[in-house]
């Protein structure tokens, strides 16, 4: 008789997240203080410009030195405009050249953008669904649940790994 032994192994991955474009987002996600629609006086942020490639790569180097193996870049906007794509691809390629996994959370993607980011070396795309389809319109009105699913479809089609979550407790049943 053969004895089967199962071993469960835990792995901890250190990930560093940098806001490469903070505040002033045009979207009205009801929970997000980076939206220019947000009511919180202290949380209201004027939109800052996209960080430069050297600034992002310097932050990635510090993250790597502090033990991070994955570096995620996030931007507060609806999605990347075509004029931002070259800089974003340079950021991704630069982080990849540091020997790190790459991740981005850049909002809703246009056709072809996921493929361009993948070609630059992007490994993961973070795109949260936020809440249930039935509750979505109560939380966000500047884009739809289907817009989110469409971006996730583009990400999968491009061969990127999906990092996706949600926020629980906004009145869902």
């Amino acid at each position: 008789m053969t004895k089967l032994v199962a071993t469960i192994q835990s792995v901890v991955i250190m990930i560093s997240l940098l806001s490469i474009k903070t505040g002033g987002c045009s979207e009205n996600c009801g929970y997000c203080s980076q939206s220019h629609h947000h009511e919180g006086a202290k949380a209201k942020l004027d939109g800052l410009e996209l960080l430069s490639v050297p600034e992002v790569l310097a932050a990635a180097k510090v993250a790597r030195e502090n033990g991070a193996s994955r570096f995620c870049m996030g931007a507060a906007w609806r999605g990347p405009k075509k004029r931002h794509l070259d800089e974003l691809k340079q950021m991704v390629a630069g982080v990849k050249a540091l020997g790190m996994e790459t991740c981005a959370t850049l909002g809703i993607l246009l056709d072809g953008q996921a493929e361009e980011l993948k070609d630059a070396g992007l490994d993961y795309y973070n795109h949260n669904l936020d809440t249930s389809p039935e509750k979505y319109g109560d939380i966000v009105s500047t884009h739809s649940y289907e817009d989110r699913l469409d971006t996730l479809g583009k990400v999968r089609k491009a061969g990127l790994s999906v990092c996706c979550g949600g926020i629980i407790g906004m009145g869902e049943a």
Side-chain angles (χ1 to χ4, degrees), residues 85-99:
L85 214 51
D86 284 338
E87 285 177 283
L88 293 170
K89 292 188 305 186
Q90 289 173 42
M91 291 173 190
V92 168
V95 171
K96 193 73 169 176
L98 294 172

Side-chain angles (χ1 to χ4, degrees), residues 17 19 21-46 74-78 105 107 126 128 130-131 136 138-143 148 167 170:
L17 170 63
S19 179
K21 196 280 181 200
T22 302
C25 182
S26 64
E27 300 304 284
N28 72 343
C29 305
Y31 52 84
C32 184
S33 62
Q34 295 214 40
S35 168
H36 75 253
H37 301 274
H38 195 273
E39 297 297 324
K42 286 187 177 183
K44 191 153 181 114
L45 296 171
D46 291 328
W77 55 28
R78 179 179 176 85
T105 179
N126 174 274
N128 295 333
D130 304 322
T131 189
Y136 204 84
D138 295 339
I139 308 299
V140 181
S141 66
T142 50
H143 58 270
R148 304 297 279 193
I167 300 171
M170 293 190 289

Side-chain angles (χ1 to χ4, degrees), residues 28-160:
N28 72 343
C29 305
Y31 52 84
C32 184
S33 62
Q34 295 214 40
S35 168
H36 75 253
H37 301 274
H38 195 273
E39 297 297 324
K42 286 187 177 183
K44 191 153 181 114
L45 296 171
D46 291 328
L48 302 176
E49 293 298 317
L50 182 66
L51 293 179
S52 70
V53 174
E55 288 173 310
V56 171
L57 297 183
K61 286 176 188 173
V62 170
R64 183 187 65 189
E65 290 166 4
N66 287 313
S69 60
R70 184 180 305 163
F71 191 74
C72 188
M73 297 157 275
W77 55 28
R78 179 179 176 85
K81 293 183 173 47
K82 291 180 183 182
R83 71 175 188 265
H84 297 127
L85 214 51
D86 284 338
E87 285 177 283
L88 293 170
K89 292 188 305 186
Q90 289 173 42
M91 291 173 190
V92 168
V95 171
K96 193 73 169 176
L98 294 172
M100 300 178 80
E101 291 182 318
T102 57
C103 177
T105 179
L106 305 170
I108 297 169
L109 295 178
L110 301 175
D111 289 340
Q113 288 182 330
E115 289 82 0
E116 287 191 57
L117 293 166
K118 168 79 173 171
D119 290 345
L122 191 65
D123 298 303
Y124 294 87
Y125 196 81
N126 174 274
H127 198 60
N128 295 333
L129 292 176
D130 304 322
T131 189
S132 67
E134 299 78 22
K135 190 72 178 162
Y136 204 84
D138 295 339
I139 308 299
V140 181
S141 66
T142 50
H143 58 270
S144 70
Y145 193 82
E146 292 303 316
D147 290 332
R148 304 297 279 193
L149 293 178
D150 181 57
T151 288
L152 289 171
K154 290 173 182 174
V155 165
R156 285 187 189 102
K157 185 178 175 191
L160 293 165

